[in-house]
Amino acid sequence: MLRSVITRYLQLCTLAAVGGAALGCSDSLLGPPTSDNVIDTVTLYALSGTAISLPSGYSMLDARPVRTDSTDFDFAFDITESGTTLIYPAGALGLSSVPGLQRSTKPFAEITMAPTEGYEGDSALAVSPNDVFLARSRTSISGCYFFGQVSRYGKFRVLSLDLSARSITLELLVNLNCGYKSLDVGRPDS
């Protein structure tokens, strides 16, 4: 009898603590944000026809261009032999299909919230200057202490393509806060 009373008391205390913590977080229940959203400009180089030392991929978990000789990237850039410029979510290259991209019809500056659905995870997308995309990262537990593995969200716009240098320059914003979907500049609230 005493054991069941103690067990029930501990369960109620745990529920109260979790409920109190959730109320103290934000509307998203993901805890307070720790990073401001900022716009960055990066250049990626084609997977083919460039030196392996040049970054062809982008890691949304680190918000930086990366080499693709590891699996730590969410999307990569390439130019086909016929000159078609493509962005590949990691799944289109045989890696995790969790990272995804979707083309946007809205201008970059007008996108303020990432959708949770509609991301293409296993097919390359053709890109041209001024194209705008929404992006979802592979999952991570980094910074997501109580919520398990979640993705990060972002947006990017193709600023330029240089076929002779085999490069693409992107304007992008990645929300580095655990599971937050806000794509406005500054400290997110959701």
Side-chain angles (χ1 to χ4, degrees), residues 85-89 92 100-103 120 123-127 133-134:
T85 52
L86 300 169
I87 294 283
Y88 290 86
L101 302 171
Q102 64 177 281
R103 192 177 302 276
E120 177 64 50
S123 297
L125 299 167
V127 296
F133 293 87
L134 294 149

Side-chain angles (χ1 to χ4, degrees), residues 20 44 83 102 171:
L44 303 178
Q102 64 177 281
E171 170 185 42

Side-chain angles (χ1 to χ4, degrees), residues 26-69:
S26 66
D27 289 341
S28 68
L29 301 179
L30 293 173
T34 57
S35 299
D36 286 347
N37 289 343
V38 296
I39 295 175
D40 195 9
T41 302
V42 300
T43 299
L44 303 178
Y45 296 87
L47 288 165
S48 57
T50 63
I52 189 70
S53 60
L54 295 173
S56 297
Y58 190 81
S59 170
M60 292 176 63
L61 299 182
D62 306 305
R64 66 184 179 90
V66 294
R67 292 171 36 162
T68 55
D69 52 345

